[in-house]
Amino acid sequence: MTGAILSALASHWWRNPLQLFTLLAGLALATALWSGVQAINAEARSSYDAAAATLGEGQFAQITARDGGPIAHERYIALRRAGWAVSPVIEGRLGRVRLIGLEPLTAPGDLGPVNPEGGADLGAFLAGSGQIFARTETLAQLSDIGVQGVASPDVAPNTALTDIGVAQRLLGRAGQIDRLIVAPDQPLTRPPLAEVAPDLNLSTAQDVSDVARLTDSFHLNLTAFGLLSFAVGLFIVHGAIGLAFEQRRAMVRTLRALGAPLGRLIALMAVELAVLALVAGGIGVALGYAIAAALLPDVAATLRGLYGADVSGQLTLRPVWWLSGLAIALGGTAVAASGALLSLARMPLLSGAHPRAWSMARRQGGQAVLAAALLTLSAVLAIRGQGLVAGFVMLGALLIGGALALPPLLALILSRAEGLARSPVAQWFWADTRQQVPGLSLALMALMLAMAANVGVSTMVSSFRLTFTGFLDQRLASELYVTAEDAGQAAAIIAVAGEHADAILPILSAEREVAGQPAQIFGARDHATYRDNWQFLRAAPDVWDRLARGEGVLINEQMYRRGGLDLGAVIALGPDVTLPVLGIHGDYGNPIGQVIVTEARFRDLFPDVSARQFGLRTDPAEVPALRARLRGEAGVAEGAMIDQSAIKAASLAVFERTFAVTTALNILTLAVAGFAILMSLLTLAAMRVPQLAPVWALGLTRRRLASLDLVRAVVLAALTGALALPLGLGLAWALLAVVNVEAFGWRLPMYLFPLDYLRLGVLALLAAALAALWPAWRLSRMPPAQLLGVFRHER
Amino acid sequence: MLLRLHEVTKTYPDTEAAVLREVSFTLAGGEMLALTGESGSGKSTLLHLIGGLDTADSGTLAIDGTDLSALDDAGRAALRRGTVGVIFQQFNLIPSLNVAANIAFQARLAGRHDPARDRALTDRLGLNDHLHKYPEQLSGGQQQRVAIARTLAAQPKLVLADEPTGNLDEATADTVLSVLTELVGETGAGLILVTHSERLAARLPRRLHLRAGRLT
C-alpha cells in the first residue's frame, strides 16, 4: 500500500515538473540566502579566533624600539639575562604572505601552533631548514622557499609561522628582531625596562575583544540581513508548498476515497517533503557557498580596512555550517508545510476536492487582524521595549506584520480602483486583479520583504556612511596628530609646531568615574577647529561660547543614554565642580563615556596631567615637511604621527566595499523575490484558464489578455513597492534607533535617499515585468482548443 | 447477507430536515439493485454512508458482518480498500497516473493486484489502446470505463456506482452499464447503482426509490 501511495504522490511531480522545480528552487534559494550570509559571518569570526590564537595579538604586552626600527639581538639577550621573560618575534612579507618568526622555547604557551606542551614536533620545527605552519592556501603561495610546509587550519589567514631563525633567513634580516613578547608571569625582581634597555618601549596588553567588539557592529548588520533574507525565503517556501499542496487536494481526496488511510497519507507526504527539503537544502547550501565565496573577498577587504581584522578571502566548508543550512531547510519546510498538512488532514472527505484559489483559505479578515496585532506589538516594543532581544522581536513583528497587512491592503486599493473604473474591460481588469491577489499573496509578500530589506539596509548603510564621514571630519579635523613619549618630547613638539604649524591643539585626557560610569575627561582648547567641525545630536544655544566661558560640559551619546544625562543635567566632576550638560555629540565606536571641558577647567581638575597628544593644524601640503621636522628636531617616532587624510581616504574606500557587499545581497534578494513571482504566476497559469476563457469567448484576444496580465503584474509590484517603502523606512529606523542603540549604546541619525528608493522601485517593476513576461507569452500562444476545453469540461 | 441497513438516519448541520430517515434494507451477495430518486432525495448520501465515506447519525449499517458504526477512520479506509469499490460520477481518476497505473492502483492499495486480471478487464472494456494515455487525454466514456476497471480490478465484494453514466450520452451510457453489470455479475459482487434514469434503473432486477430521505 505504501508503495502505491508513494507512486501516486511521485507521479504528480513527474507530470508537473514545473511545480517540483518551483518547490525545490524556492527552498534552495531560501537556504542559499540564509546560509550564504551565515557562512560569511562564521568565516570572519573564525578568522578572528585564529588570529587571536596564533598571533597573540593584544593578549600579551610587547616591547618595541622607540625609533620604530628593529631591536638588536644583544638587547634581547640583555633582557633575558636581567630576568625578563620575553620572546623574540620577527615579522615581514613574503610576497602577499605575512611571515612571522617565533622562538618556540621562550614563546608564551598560548602562542602559535608549535606548543611544546601540546606535543608538537619541536625538533623538526627547529632543525635543518625547519618547518613552516600555514593554511593550505597560504602554503600554496610559499611552495618555492625550500622549507617544509605543514598545513595548519588554525593559523590566521594569509599568515605563516616559522622558527625565528628560518624567518630571519627567508626575510634576509639575519640577527634582527622586530618586537619582544612579554610573558604574563614575570619575576618580581627584574629591573625596570628603562634601566636595561632605555631605547625600548613597553606597551601593555590590550583588551583582546577589541577587534571582536568593533566588528560586531558589522556582523550584527549582516545577521539582520540574514534574518531578512530568511524571512523572504520562508515566504517563498510557504508559497511554493501551499500551491503544490493545493493542486494535489483532488488527488488526496481520491486516494482517501479509494482507501488510503489518512494518517499514512499525511506521514508519507511529510516524508516526501523532508526528502525534497534535504535535496533542495543541499542545493541551497551549495548555492550559499557560492554566494559567500563570491562576496567574501569584499567582506574580508571591508573588515581588514575598517577594523584591521584579517579575514580569509577563501571559504572553508565547515560541517557546522552546512549542517545548519540543511537544518534550516528542513525547519523552514516544516514551518511552511505544517499549515498545509494540517489543512489536508482536516479536509472533509466529501468536499474540497476542487482547487480553491488556494490562499482563499487564508481569510483576509483574520490576516488583517493578525497584521494589526503584530504592528501594534512592534510599536509598543519600539516605545517601551528594552534590550537586544526586544529589539529583534520588534523587528520581526514589524516585518511579518507589514507583510501580512499587504494582501488586505491590496484588496482594499483594488476594490476602490474597481469602483472608479468605467469601461467594462477596466472593471474586469481590476476585479480580476483583486481575484489574483490571494494566489499571488505569498510571492508579493516576499517581494515586499525584499524591497523593505533593500530600503532598510541601504538606508542604514548610507546613513552610517554619511554619519561616519561627518564624524571623521569632526574627529580628524587637524592635519597631523602627534603623540609624545614624555613631557620633554611634548615640550619639543610644542616648540617645533609653534614655529611651523598654524595651530597647536593639545589633547588633554584623564580617566575618571563620572555619574557612576567609567569615562574619559578631555580638555579642549577653544579653537575654530572645533567650532567649525563638530556637530551635536543635541545642544544648548551658543554651546561653544558657553563652554569657552566654563559654564558647562559636552558629553558623548553613550554618557547621555547610559546615564540618562540630557541637556541641562548636572554632572559632578570633582568635590566642588558641578557643571550642566551643554551639548551631546556622537562618538561612534567608543565603548565608554566621554566628557569635554575647557582646557582651563581640565588643568584645574587634573593639575598633574600634561598634554602628550597634539592636533596640529597646517596646510595639508606642508604635512610631510612638518613630519620631517618633528622627527628630526623633536625625535618623534614615525609611528607616533598620524596623517588624517590617509585615515579618511582609507575609511571612505572601506565604505565602498561595504556597499559592494550590501548591494550584491540586495540585488540577490530582489532577484529571488522576482523568481517567486514568476513561479507563482506559472503555477497559477493553469488555474487561470477557466477565469480567462469566458472573457476570451466574449471578444478579448489572447494577445490583449496577455498584455493585461503583464500590466497586472507591474501594477501589483508598484502597489507592493509603494507599501514596502514605509515598511523599509520603519526597518531602517528600527536598526538604527533601536537595535544599534541596544547593541552598542549609540544611535545613528537616519537620512533619506529618495533617488535610491526610486531606482529600487524601477528595479522591482522590472523584476515583476520580467517575471510576468513568460506566463504572458504562453497565454498569448495558448491554443484556442485549451480555452474551449473549459466549456467542454463544464457540467 | 452482504449488506444490512437498519433505520439509518443522517442529518447535516446546515440542514434542518434529515437527509435520510430510518432507511432499512438488505442486499445479498451477487444481488444488483438500482437506487433512484429526485435530486436531493438522499441517494448519494446513502451511497456515501454505505461506502464508509461518511458516518450515519443513528441506525446500524453492516457490510459482510462488519458494523460500520464501530469503525474508526482507519477502519473505514480499510473497508474502502478491501470490501467496497466506489465508481464516482466524476470518475476521480488520478490525473498524474496513466490508464494502466490508474487501473492497478486500488488493487495495489488492497494488496491483491493481479496483472492478468487487469489485462482481462482492459480487454473487455476496450482500453488496450489507451493504457499509456493520461486521463486528460480520454473522453468521458473512456474515463468512466477506466474507473470501472479500477474498481473491479480490486475485486470488491460490493460495488457502489454513483450515477456512473450521468456525464455520458445515451448510447455510451447503455454500453457502460452493460459492461458494468456483466462484469459485476461475473465476480459475484453486489451492486448498488444510483441513477436518475428510469430507463437504466429498469435494466436491473431490483429497484429502491428514495423520496425526501425515505424509501418508498
Side-chain angles (χ1 to χ4, degrees):
Chain A
M1 179 168 55
T2 299
I5 296 172
L6 278 177
S7 70
L9 291 174
S11 71
H12 177 83
W13 300 122
W14 283 117
R15 291 285 289 162
N16 299 280
L18 188 65
Q19 267 184 40
L20 179 64
F21 176 69
T22 307
L23 185 63
L24 289 176
L27 263 170
L29 287 171
T31 312
L33 276 174
W34 167 261
S35 56
V37 172
Q38 290 314 306
I40 292 172
N41 267 344
E43 189 63 32
R45 288 218 161 91
S46 139
S47 291
Y48 309 147
D49 291 346
T54 55
L55 308 179
E57 280 176 352
Q59 284 184 64
F60 303 106
Q62 298 195 1
I63 292 173
T64 49
R66 284 183 182 279
D67 60 4
I71 300 172
H73 195 71
E74 298 73 48
R75 285 281 181 235
Y76 163 58
I77 302 294
L79 278 169
R80 292 288 304 187
R81 282 187 179 151
W84 280 76
V86 290
S87 180
V89 175
I90 187 168
E91 202 176 318
R93 294 238 159 224
L94 277 181
R96 294 178 58 200
V97 178
R98 180 184 181 190
L99 181 68
I100 298 176
L102 300 170
E103 209 285 300
L105 293 172
T106 54
D110 297 340
L111 192 59
V114 190
N115 180 2
E117 291 164 19
D121 186 358
L122 202 57
F125 189 75
L126 295 170
S129 57
Q131 286 179 327
I132 194 159
F133 289 75
R135 293 183 176 207
T136 313
E137 65 270 16
T138 312
L139 284 176
Q141 300 178 51
L142 301 171
S143 54
D144 54 351
I145 56 171
V147 180
Q148 182 198 351
V150 179
S152 180
D154 294 333
V155 175
N158 290 322
T159 305
L161 297 181
T162 187
D163 174 64
I164 188 164
V166 178
Q168 285 169 336
R169 176 166 56 80
L170 290 173
L171 295 170
R173 293 173 56 194
Q176 291 187 3
I177 297 167
D178 283 334
R179 54 193 163 100
L180 297 168
I181 292 174
V182 182
D185 298 322
Q186 294 287 334
L188 292 172
T189 53
R190 73 191 194 286
L193 181 67
E195 214 173 89
V196 188
D199 56 334
L200 301 184
N201 188 40
L202 174 69
S203 51
T204 54
Q206 296 165 358
D207 184 353
V208 173
S209 65
D210 271 1
V211 171
R213 189 177 59 220
L214 287 168
T215 49
D216 269 353
S217 167
F218 190 84
H219 287 299
L220 187 76
N221 293 340
L222 270 182
T223 304
F225 207 101
L227 276 174
L228 288 170
S229 305
F230 185 60
V232 171
L234 206 59
F235 273 89
I236 292 169
V237 172
H238 204 280
I241 289 177
L243 282 170
F245 272 56
E246 177 59 27
Q247 299 214 331
R248 297 209 292 186
R249 285 172 72 87
M251 182 207 267
V252 168
R253 195 192 84 151
T254 301
L255 290 176
R256 288 189 62 199
L258 296 178
L262 178 64
R264 190 173 307 191
L265 198 52
I266 296 292
L268 288 176
M269 289 180 90
V271 170
E272 178 197 36
L273 268 182
V275 170
L276 290 175
L278 283 175
V279 171
I283 298 169
V285 168
L287 275 174
Y289 184 85
I291 292 169
L295 291 180
L296 201 58
D298 276 334
V299 174
T302 297
L303 290 172
R304 193 180 301 124
L306 192 55
Y307 306 119
D310 209 348
V311 172
S312 169
Q314 287 182 315
L315 198 60
T316 313
L317 194 57
R318 297 167 199 285
V320 172
W321 169 67
W322 60 260
L323 280 176
S324 71
L326 289 180
I328 279 288
L330 273 175
T333 306
V335 169
S338 54
L341 283 173
L342 201 65
S343 156
L344 278 185
R346 287 178 176 167
M347 181 178 73
L349 186 51
L350 294 173
S351 64
H354 297 293
R356 306 155 302 167
W358 145 74
S359 316
M360 286 295 188
R362 286 143 186 81
R363 295 284 172 218
Q364 288 190 348
Q367 193 169 318
V369 170
L370 183 59
L374 284 170
L375 290 173
T376 308
L377 171 69
S378 173
V380 169
L381 285 173
I383 297 164
R384 295 189 174 271
Q386 288 201 333
L388 198 55
V389 174
F392 272 105
V393 171
M394 190 219 97
L395 207 61
L398 174 71
L399 285 171
I400 305 294
L404 289 177
L406 178 68
L409 282 173
L410 282 179
L412 193 71
I413 294 167
L414 294 169
S415 172
R416 290 283 165 87
E418 186 186 342
L420 295 172
R422 288 290 165 263
S423 79
V425 173
Q427 236 166 5
W428 170 79
F429 173 81
W430 291 113
D432 188 57
T433 305
R434 186 157 54 88
Q435 200 181 11
Q436 299 315 307
V437 169
L440 284 170
S441 63
L442 286 171
L444 290 174
M445 283 191 244
L447 177 68
M448 186 192 210
L449 283 182
M451 292 183 74
N454 261 285
V455 170
V457 174
S458 303
T459 302
M460 183 187 69
V461 173
S462 299
S463 296
F464 191 68
R465 177 163 77 160
L466 271 186
T467 307
F468 213 81
T469 310
F471 177 66
L472 288 178
D473 285 340
Q474 170 180 311
R475 289 305 171 91
L476 301 174
S478 296
E479 282 70 24
L480 194 64
Y481 287 85
V482 187
T483 304
E485 288 174 7
D486 50 36
Q489 194 176 54
I493 290 170
I494 291 170
V496 173
E499 244 179 89
H500 301 284
D502 297 339
I504 305 170
L505 302 174
I507 300 168
L508 292 154
S509 75
E511 296 201 358
R512 175 174 285 189
E513 196 165 281
V514 178
Q517 301 176 51
Q520 291 170 305
I521 299 175
F522 282 89
R525 183 165 290 180
D526 184 20
H527 192 266
T529 299
Y530 300 117
R531 290 174 180 260
D532 295 345
N533 290 297
W534 279 52
Q535 289 174 347
F536 292 100
L537 303 174
R538 291 170 179 219
D542 306 322
V543 54
W544 288 112
D545 290 340
R546 291 179 63 187
L547 180 73
R549 290 198 296 268
E551 292 174 10
V553 300
L554 308 178
I555 60 171
N556 68 355
E557 187 183 3
Q558 288 80 334
M559 196 96 202
Y560 152 66
R561 292 195 185 280
R562 290 178 193 149
L565 301 168
D566 210 338
L567 292 182
V570 175
I571 288 179
L573 293 175
D576 302 317
V577 185
T578 52
L579 291 167
V581 175
L582 297 175
I584 299 159
H585 56 270
D587 192 11
Y588 309 109
N590 183 2
I592 66 170
Q594 190 180 78
V595 179
I596 294 175
V597 296
T598 59
E599 195 177 349
R601 175 74 69 185
F602 185 90
R603 292 192 196 284
D604 284 347
L605 286 168
F606 306 99
D608 298 335
V609 177
S610 59
R612 294 285 181 89
Q613 279 188 297
F614 302 91
L616 305 181
R617 301 303 313 263
T618 185
D619 184 337
E622 297 297 321
V623 169
L626 185 57
R627 285 179 80 118
R629 284 181 188 281
L630 287 167
R631 198 167 47 240
E633 297 172 27
V636 180
E638 198 53 41
M641 293 184 281
I642 300 169
D643 182 350
Q644 58 97 337
S645 62
I647 296 175
K648 273 206 284 198
S651 300
L652 291 177
V654 161
F655 277 119
E656 298 314 316
R657 291 286 199 168
T658 313
F659 268 112
V661 176
T662 48
T663 304
L665 284 173
N666 275 339
I667 289 174
L668 203 65
T669 315
L670 200 62
V672 168
F675 177 78
I677 294 180
L678 168 67
M679 291 297 116
S680 298
L681 287 174
L682 286 175
T683 313
L684 288 172
M687 294 185 191
R688 291 272 292 144
V689 178
Q691 296 160 7
L692 294 174
V695 193
W696 168 74
L698 289 174
L700 259 68
T701 61
R702 286 170 296 164
R703 198 185 176 81
R704 181 91 190 274
L705 286 172
S707 52
L708 283 173
D709 260 14
L710 202 60
V711 172
R712 177 178 294 109
V714 173
V715 164
L716 285 174
L719 290 173
T720 302
L723 294 170
L725 184 61
L727 185 65
L729 294 177
L731 169 67
W733 179 83
L735 285 171
L736 292 169
V738 180
V739 174
N740 214 62
V741 172
E742 295 297 346
F744 309 113
W746 34 270
R747 175 178 178 162
L748 284 164
M750 182 168 149
Y751 298 96
L752 298 180
F753 306 89
L755 276 178
D756 287 356
Y757 308 147
L758 194 65
R759 195 179 54 206
L760 171 68
V762 172
L763 272 177
L765 294 188
L766 201 65
L770 281 174
L773 208 56
W774 186 24
W777 181 82
R778 287 194 346 162
L779 174 60
S780 71
R781 298 296 178 99
M782 185 176 281
Q786 198 173 335
L787 289 159
L788 282 171
V790 171
F791 306 115
R792 204 167 44 240
H793 292 140
E794 278 183 352
R795 301 178 214 290
Chain B
M1 197 55 65
L2 177 62
L3 173 69
R4 184 185 300 278
L5 280 85
H6 181 67
E7 296 187 346
V8 170
T9 298
K10 176 72 181 176
T11 307
Y12 287 118
D14 51 353
T15 55
E16 283 183 15
V19 182
L20 291 175
R21 303 174 192 204
E22 297 175 343
V23 173
S24 302
F25 72 93
T26 59
L27 183 82
E31 194 179 358
M32 298 185 194
L33 74 79
L35 184 61
T36 58
E38 304 292 318
S39 291
S41 60
K43 303 185 299 294
S44 291
T45 301
L46 182 56
L47 209 67
H48 292 155
L49 294 183
I50 297 170
L53 294 164
D54 205 351
T55 52
D57 295 338
S58 62
T60 56
L61 198 164
I63 298 174
D64 208 19
T66 304
D67 181 4
L68 263 64
S69 65
L71 297 179
D72 60 5
D73 191 61
R76 289 198 299 277
L79 178 90
R80 291 196 295 274
R81 280 200 303 277
T83 311
V84 179
V86 185
I87 300 168
F88 298 93
Q89 183 181 3
Q90 306 291 351
F91 324 133
N92 281 2
L93 300 178
I94 297 171
S96 51
L97 295 180
N98 65 21
V99 167
N102 259 293
I103 290 171
F105 189 77
Q106 193 168 7
R108 290 180 65 201
L109 274 186
R112 46 175 175 253
H113 180 225
D114 176 3
R117 180 168 174 74
D118 287 2
R119 274 196 300 278
L121 281 167
T122 52
D123 270 346
R124 296 283 296 276
L125 288 160
L127 291 170
N128 279 338
D129 293 339
H130 307 292
L131 291 177
H132 298 294
K133 290 182 179 171
Y134 286 88
E136 67 191 27
Q137 297 168 299
L138 302 178
S139 69
Q142 287 166 336
Q143 289 192 53
Q144 194 56 289
R145 277 186 278 158
V146 175
I148 290 170
R150 177 177 69 183
T151 301
L152 297 180
Q155 303 174 58
K157 290 182 176 171
L158 175 61
V159 175
L160 305 172
D162 188 4
E163 307 229 23
T165 57
N167 289 317
L168 308 178
D169 60 66
E170 204 167 279
T172 311
D174 280 342
T175 310
V176 165
L177 186 63
S178 297
V179 175
L180 176 64
T181 52
E182 203 178 306
L183 288 170
V184 172
E186 286 172 14
T187 61
L191 170 69
I192 297 178
L193 172 78
V194 168
T195 180
H196 270 107
S197 166
E198 294 289 333
R199 189 175 58 80
L200 293 178
R203 291 179 55 181
L204 294 190
R206 185 180 166 200
R207 177 177 171 182
L208 293 175
H209 187 75
L210 267 174
R211 179 172 295 152
R214 287 185 190 281
L215 285 177
T216 57

